[in-house]
Amino acid sequence: YWMHFNNNTLGLFFARLALGANPPNEASERIAGMIQRREDGYARYMEQTLAKSPYLAGNEFTCADIMSVFNLVSLPSFVGRTDTPNVKAYVERISKRPAYIKAMQIAGPAATPTDGA
């Protein structure tokens, strides 16, 4: 389920980019409203899910969490939201995991190229 969830949130991100590439019109305003409602719904669903368990699929860290964290730390539809304290706590939990820290050192936004070592 969460793999489809991530594809949907990425799809909304790209739909918003496509809308921004064209002049606003009546249809684009309706589509922007639909995108916003879906983004809000996804954020609410994730917030409700994380209110019940520490990870998306329950009490264990799974691939669902690995797949989802990118969207939560990178996409504007999630970054900076103030109405999702459970999601914020979840991202903080994951960002403290040793494997996440190592991954960000290697390929995160602040990573620097190395000589291949």
Side-chain angles (χ1 to χ4, degrees), residues 87-98:
V87 172
K88 183 179 178 186
Y90 167 75
V91 169
E92 288 174 12
R93 261 192 316 281
I94 289 179
S95 67
K96 292 177 184 173
R97 294 176 65 88

Side-chain angles (χ1 to χ4, degrees), residues 104-115:
M104 290 301 101
Q105 290 169 343
I106 294 169
T112 56
T114 65
D115 60 5

